């Protein structure tokens, strides 16, 4: 399962801002954001606030068979998808001229929906690559084929991509990053837990079944699957795990190209760069030197014929969702059903729409913004961002554990933080992307090649600070450390994360925390290592850094102790950045909410029997409402830097002093944390 590498988006959260100071909402609309029927009042808040706030909704909304989880984000994602479907289907019905955006969007979608042609073609689109693989005679041929495949979005062995140089953030540098694994994460190959052993066994069977569908005999496919897995396991043994990959200093290893060549004598880099059509860069950031050196060694030790099988598998694995039904089904059976517990495949139109939106992201995004994102939303969102920026600045000034010198630099970084809202001012030009209604997989490859070339063309040039790392229709938000910027795409700036008619407490509890969360990422355990210009630099006084680490260690220990599935629990080190951001987002937004109430001299009073502070915390809990299948949760605990939704409520809130007073939490309740043991970072 190939994973696309992007820059570090370190957060999730969201919302569309409306006029937050317009007075009380109409009484008949007050329940839109917080509905008592969605709660479970039989649960004591101090024992399980997640269930107290969301239990009614969770009971009424079991996970549909086509999902592995279902919650507030899913609801918004599906509403967005319906809007996108309308746009794409409309484009597919027009007689747009060849080369126009409408033609490309429509034909991309139509090619994916043309199942008759896809079934008829079978593996025909793959045959030219298979024949080229069969003709390979040596390691140089393997390397050249790796490059050729990467140009179409198939990534054996490793990833090559561009990013801002972490220590010279105004310039773009080439990066090499570990890859080549079919299972979701490194630990799946190395962990001796029985569940991981079972996954490895089933994975080998899955490889064999895919090879058999492609034309191999059962005996051949079984033998070949073992050889493929052996290569992946060797790659995994020298790969960094997720905790280590979070450390930006550990993954910054810039070197001259000549040093890369000398340190990996068995890898023909000239052949590789010739295959991708690029002059080798003068310098390159080798994110995982040990992995790349191991790869070089493997090229001299693993037989060429084994590598040929590995390349064939990578093509099948990457192409399976876009091939005939036998491949699609087998891919689903392992990756979705077995690994994640999904019961049925999503309708084809959803899967094809996702691919179309991925291939022509900003082209569709421009149409999406024009129809669904009101222009005034940007200005309203900026107002709230500045309110939260002011709140965080005030908190930094009052920190009792940070020296004045470091505070000053922290305030300068906060002041320099750039904000992107809704959509880019400059759109990607897709005129160089060829799309037809004839072959779905070729459209996928063309789109991947377009993005591959667009990405590598940035290397050695100044960073385009206006470029976005997300499409406007994305249901997400993010912080980019090398640009010191926060992003809120249009797709997430709407209900259920912001309600036009809800009271201020609800909006600060949801969108306010979201914005504070993103800002805090600039000061989490990894984000704090970048200065105001986005450069990886140590700007902290040593004593301040030590105190910071002591405070964040509290969060590591708290989340490490949070068990969710039998022996599985949250990894406090892996999720630390997100947990710091949740802690900071709550503190920052709550302070901003109190300030807004004081300035407006407005005591909003109770609504449905709940005080403004209670509604703030209920609103926060509501955006994380989610039912999740056990298999999907198990994967999340292994693969995701975010804590599961339930932990983001039941751990994060119990570090906030005001929360205890709001709900009268008592010492004998299960989730109570003594004052001295509560985490207070920002």
């Amino acid at each position: 399962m190939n994973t696309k590498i992007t820059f570090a988006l370190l957060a999730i959260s969201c919302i569309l801002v409306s006029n937050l100071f317009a007075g009380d909402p109409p009484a008949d609309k007050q329940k839109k954001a917080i509905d008592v029927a969605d709660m479970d009042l039989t649960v004591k808040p101090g024992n399980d606030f997640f269930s107290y706030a969301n239990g009614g909704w969770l009971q009424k909304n079991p996970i549909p068979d086509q999902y592995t989880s279902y919650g507030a984000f899913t609801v918004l994602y599906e509403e967005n998808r319906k809007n996108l479907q309308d746009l794409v289907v409309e484009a597919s019905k027009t007689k747009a001229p060849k080369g126009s955006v409408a033609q490309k969007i429509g034909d991309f979608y139509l090619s994916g929906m043309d199942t008759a042609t896809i079934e008829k073609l079978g593996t025909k689109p793959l045959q030219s690559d298979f024949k080229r693989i069969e003709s390979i005679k040596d390691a140089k041929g393997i390397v050249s084929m790796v490059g050729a495949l990467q140009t179409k979005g198939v990534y054996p062995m490793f990833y090559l991509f561009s990013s801002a140089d972490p220590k010279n953030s105004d310039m773009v540098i080439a990066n090499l990053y570990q890859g080549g694994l079919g299972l979701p994460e490194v630990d799946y190959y190395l962990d001796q837990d029985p569940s991981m052993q079972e996954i490895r066994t089933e994975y080998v069977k899955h490889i064999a079944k895919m090879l058999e569908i492609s034309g191999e005999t059962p005996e051949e496919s079984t033998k070949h699957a073992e050889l493929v897995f052996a290569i992946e396991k060797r790659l995994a043994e020298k790969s960094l795990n997720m905790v280590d990959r979070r450390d930006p200093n550990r993954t910054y290893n810039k070197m001259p190209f000549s040093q890369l060549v000398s340190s990996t004598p068995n890898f023909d880099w000239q052949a590789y760069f010739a295959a991708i059509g690029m002059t080798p860069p003068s310098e390159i950031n080798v994110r995982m030197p040990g992995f790349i050196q191991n790869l070089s060694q493997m090229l001299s030790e693993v037989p060429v014929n084994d590598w040929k099988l590995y390349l064939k598998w990578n093509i099948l694995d990457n192409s399976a969702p876009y091939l005939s039904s036998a491949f699609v089904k087998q891919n689903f059976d392992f990756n979705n059903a077995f690994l994640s517990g999904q019961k049925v495949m999503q309708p084809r139109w959803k899967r094809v729409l996702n691919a179309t939106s991925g291939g022509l992201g900003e082209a569709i995004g421009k149409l999406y913004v024009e129809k669904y994102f009101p222009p005034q939303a940007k200005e309203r969102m900026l107002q709230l961002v500045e309110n939260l920026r002011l709140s965080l600045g005030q908190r930094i000034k009052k920190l009792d554990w940070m020296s004045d010198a470091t505070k000053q630099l922290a305030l300068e970084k906060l002041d320099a933080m750039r904000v992107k809202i809704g959509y880019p001012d400059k759109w990607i030009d897709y005129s160089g992307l060829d799309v037809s209604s004839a072959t779905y997989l070729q459209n996928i490859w063309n789109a991947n090649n377009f993005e591959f070339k667009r990405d590598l063309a940035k290397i050695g040039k100044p960073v385009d600070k206006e470029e976005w790392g997300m499409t406007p229709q994305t249901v997400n938000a993010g912080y980019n450390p090398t640009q010191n910027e926060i992003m809120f795409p249009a797709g997430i700036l709407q209900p259920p994360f912001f309600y036009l008619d809800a009271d201020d407490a609800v909006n600060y509890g949801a969108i306010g925390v979201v914005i504070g969360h993103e800002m805090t990422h600039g000061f989490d355990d990894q984000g704090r290592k970048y200065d105001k210009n986005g450069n990886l630099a140590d700007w902290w006084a040593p004593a301040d850094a030590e105190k910071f680490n002591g405070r964040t260690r509290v969060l590591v220990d708290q989340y490490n102790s949070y068990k969710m599935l039998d022996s599985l629990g949250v990894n406090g080190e892996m999720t630390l950045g997100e947990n710091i951001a949740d802690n900071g987002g709550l503190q920052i937004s709550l302070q901003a909410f109190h300030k807004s109430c004081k300035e407006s001299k407005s005591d909003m009073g109770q609504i449905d029997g709940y005080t403004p502070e209670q509604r703030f915390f209920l609103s926060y809990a509501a955006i994380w409402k989610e039912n999740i299948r056990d298999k999907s949760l198990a994967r999340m605990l292994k693969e995701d830097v975010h804590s599961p939704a339930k932990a983001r409520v039941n751990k994060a809130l119990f570090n906030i002093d005001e929360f205890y007073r709001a709900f009268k939490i008592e010492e004998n309740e299960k989730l109570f944390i003594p004052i001295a043991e509560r985490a207070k970072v920002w």
Side-chain angles (χ1 to χ4, degrees):
M1 182 182 298
N2 292 299
T3 304
K4 185 177 180 182
I5 300 296
T6 59
F7 64 76
L9 297 177
L10 302 177
I12 286 186
S13 284
C14 53
I15 300 326
L16 168 68
V17 176
S18 182
N19 187 347
L20 299 181
F21 311 104
D24 292 337
D28 62 337
K29 295 185 178 180
Q30 289 175 352
K31 291 186 179 182
K32 286 179 64 178
I34 296 177
D35 190 336
V36 177
D38 288 343
M39 301 168 65
D40 183 352
L41 303 182
T42 68
V43 178
K44 295 187 70 173
N47 288 338
D48 181 357
F49 195 76
F50 179 82
S51 297
Y52 170 79
N54 300 317
W57 188 93
L58 298 174
Q59 184 68 30
K60 291 179 291 186
N61 291 274
I63 306 170
D65 288 349
Q66 64 179 280
Y67 298 102
T68 59
S69 64
Y70 192 80
F73 276 90
T74 324
V75 171
L76 176 52
Y77 183 71
E78 284 302 321
E79 290 174 354
N80 258 12
R81 186 145 57 179
K82 291 174 184 175
N83 292 336
L84 292 174
Q85 183 190 25
D86 290 343
L87 294 172
V88 171
V89 170
E90 181 180 347
S92 72
K93 292 179 179 179
T94 62
K95 298 294 183 181
K98 175 68 176 178
S100 66
V101 168
Q103 175 266 318
K104 293 178 182 183
I105 294 172
D107 281 357
F108 201 118
Y109 182 75
L110 288 173
S111 71
M113 296 302 292
D114 184 4
T115 55
T117 297
I118 293 170
E119 292 296 324
K120 181 179 178 181
L121 287 172
T123 61
K124 186 176 180 180
L126 310 180
Q127 292 307 312
S128 61
D129 284 331
F130 286 170
K131 288 179 182 178
R132 181 174 172 183
I133 289 172
E134 282 305 312
S135 70
I136 294 174
K137 304 299 183 184
D138 52 25
K140 181 178 180 179
I142 294 294
V143 168
S144 294
M145 191 66 199
V146 167
L149 291 176
Q150 289 186 1
T151 66
K152 58 175 64 178
V154 181
Y155 285 90
M157 296 187 179
F158 61 89
Y159 299 91
L160 174 72
F161 64 99
S162 74
S163 75
D165 185 336
K167 291 192 177 181
N168 183 19
S169 62
D170 288 332
M171 295 298 296
V172 179
I173 192 173
N175 297 263
L176 288 178
Y177 198 99
Q178 68 188 37
L181 306 182
L183 286 172
E185 183 51 49
V186 174
D187 288 347
Y188 282 69
Y189 292 86
L190 309 177
D191 195 324
Q192 295 306 307
D193 181 88
S195 64
M196 292 294 104
Q197 293 182 28
E198 179 189 9
I199 287 173
R200 290 193 286 272
T201 298
E202 292 301 315
Y203 177 54
V204 174
K205 292 179 182 177
H206 166 60
I207 298 174
K209 288 177 183 177
M210 292 283 275
L211 292 172
E212 187 176 346
I213 295 170
S214 74
E216 294 188 1
T217 67
E219 294 76 19
E220 287 175 331
S221 64
T222 299
K223 178 183 176 181
H224 293 168
E226 293 285 357
L227 293 172
V228 169
F229 181 80
I231 290 176
E232 291 189 4
K233 188 171 185 294
R234 282 194 64 175
L235 293 174
E237 287 170 348
K238 296 297 182 180
S239 298
L240 296 185
N241 62 29
M242 289 195 70
V243 173
D244 291 336
R245 297 201 304 271
R246 289 192 66 246
D247 184 348
N249 287 304
R250 184 160 184 174
T251 57
Y252 187 76
N253 304 283
K254 185 167 73 171
M255 61 183 67
F257 178 70
S258 59
Q259 183 179 343
L260 169 65
V261 171
S262 63
S263 65
T264 54
N266 302 310
F267 196 102
D268 192 331
W269 290 105
Q270 294 293 343
Y272 169 76
F273 280 100
I276 66 172
M278 176 183 172
T279 301
S282 59
E283 57 186 10
I284 191 165
N285 182 18
V286 183
R287 299 280 185 116
M288 295 87 183
F291 176 88
I292 300 298
Q293 290 164 13
N294 174 61
L295 184 57
S296 172
Q297 184 176 346
M298 288 176 64
L299 277 170
S300 68
E301 297 174 354
V302 175
V304 170
N305 284 339
D306 290 5
W307 281 117
K308 289 160 70 170
L309 292 169
Y310 171 76
L311 294 179
K312 180 180 180 181
W313 161 242
N314 271 260
I315 294 171
L316 286 172
D317 187 33
N318 182 273
S319 305
Y322 319 113
L323 293 173
S324 55
S325 56
F327 288 102
V328 172
K329 182 180 183 303
Q330 178 56 40
N331 184 69
F332 171 83
D333 286 348
F334 178 75
N335 287 304
N336 299 79
F338 176 71
L339 283 183
S340 300
Q342 187 174 335
K343 294 185 177 182
V344 301
M345 204 178 300
Q346 290 198 340
R348 186 169 187 86
W349 72 264
K350 290 187 178 182
R351 291 178 277 128
V352 174
L353 181 64
N354 290 347
T356 307
S357 184
L360 289 149
E362 284 197 12
I364 295 175
K366 189 174 183 180
L367 300 177
Y368 175 85
V369 165
E370 290 171 354
K371 187 168 184 179
Y372 298 111
F373 190 64
Q376 64 270 29
K378 267 198 172 186
E379 288 303 315
R380 292 173 176 174
M381 183 71 174
L382 281 169
Q383 292 173 3
L384 192 59
V385 168
E386 293 311 311
N387 288 346
L388 271 291
R389 194 197 302 261
L390 178 63
S391 176
L392 177 53
Q394 292 170 340
R395 295 187 66 83
I396 290 172
K397 291 175 184 178
K398 293 180 180 179
L399 291 175
D400 59 7
W401 55 270
M402 181 178 277
S403 67
D404 289 342
T406 306
K407 282 182 184 179
Q408 181 58 38
L409 294 174
L411 291 168
E412 289 177 9
K413 179 172 183 178
L414 176 63
D415 185 61
M417 191 175 288
R418 300 172 73 246
V419 182
K420 292 179 176 177
I421 295 173
Y423 53 89
D425 294 322
K426 180 175 66 176
W427 299 90
I428 293 173
D429 177 6
Y430 288 94
S431 59
L433 172 59
D434 182 56
V435 176
S436 77
S437 60
T439 309
Y440 186 36
L441 183 58
Q442 189 61 54
N443 286 334
I444 296 290
W445 285 344
N446 288 353
N448 290 343
N449 179 254
F450 173 84
E451 183 57 33
F452 183 82
K453 292 191 293 187
R454 194 181 75 85
D455 180 61
L456 296 192
K458 304 172 191 175
I459 294 171
K461 299 176 182 177
V463 171
D464 181 355
K465 297 183 184 295
E466 300 308 311
E467 186 176 31
W468 278 55
M470 302 181 185
T471 62
Q473 61 269 34
T474 300
V475 181
N476 203 342
Y479 173 76
N480 180 1
T482 57
Q483 298 307 303
N484 189 27
E485 64 184 10
I486 52 179
M487 292 157 285
F488 302 91
I492 201 168
L493 302 179
Q494 55 187 311
F497 297 91
F498 174 78
Y499 293 84
L500 178 62
D501 299 310
D503 58 289
D504 283 1
V506 165
N507 286 315
Y508 273 102
I511 185 174
V513 176
V514 164
I515 296 170
H517 174 108
E518 303 303 342
M519 287 182 175
T520 304
H521 271 308
F523 304 93
D524 69 20
D525 64 312
Q526 303 305 329
R528 76 172 187 84
K529 297 176 181 178
Y530 297 83
D531 65 19
K532 67 178 182 179
N533 298 315
N535 288 313
L536 195 56
D538 190 359
W539 51 273
W540 287 60
D544 295 334
E546 186 177 348
K547 291 175 183 176
F548 174 89
N549 290 335
R551 287 173 175 267
T552 60
R553 186 70 224 178
V554 175
L555 285 170
V556 172
D557 293 341
Q558 283 185 6
Y559 284 82
N560 274 340
S561 68
Y562 197 94
K563 302 301 179 186
M564 302 197 71
L565 275 177
D566 299 326
S567 61
L568 290 179
V570 180
N571 184 326
E573 287 84 1
M574 187 172 77
T575 59
L576 180 57
E578 296 299 326
N579 299 333
I580 293 171
D582 282 346
N583 182 267
L586 282 162
Q587 301 277 17
I588 295 161
S589 188
L590 184 60
Q591 177 173 301
F593 172 57
H594 286 156
K595 185 174 184 293
S596 74
C597 291
K598 184 176 180 180
E599 289 178 349
S600 64
K601 299 179 181 179
S602 171
D603 179 2
M604 289 177 288
Q606 293 189 1
I607 299 176
D608 290 333
Y610 292 96
T611 68
E613 271 199 351
Q614 287 176 327
R615 290 176 65 76
F616 174 97
F617 294 119
L618 287 168
S619 177
Y620 172 77
I623 66 173
W624 296 114
K625 60 192 175 192
E626 177 188 64
N627 281 310
I628 185 168
R629 300 191 193 282
D630 285 353
K631 282 192 172 184
S632 184
L633 177 56
R635 285 193 65 174
M636 186 176 189
L637 292 169
K638 285 281 187 182
E639 304 168 30
D640 201 331
V641 296
H642 301 85
S643 295
K646 191 169 185 177
R648 298 186 81 160
V649 174
N650 281 350
K651 275 298 179 187
L653 287 179
F654 285 82
N655 281 302
I656 310 301
D657 294 343
E658 292 87 346
F659 171 72
Y660 287 82
R661 294 193 290 271
F663 287 93
K664 297 180 173 59
I665 308 297
E666 299 177 354
E667 290 187 31
N668 62 348
E669 294 178 308
K670 293 179 180 179
L671 298 177
F672 182 91
I673 300 175
I675 293 178
E677 298 175 17
R678 293 173 196 167
K680 293 182 177 64
V681 185
W682 295 104

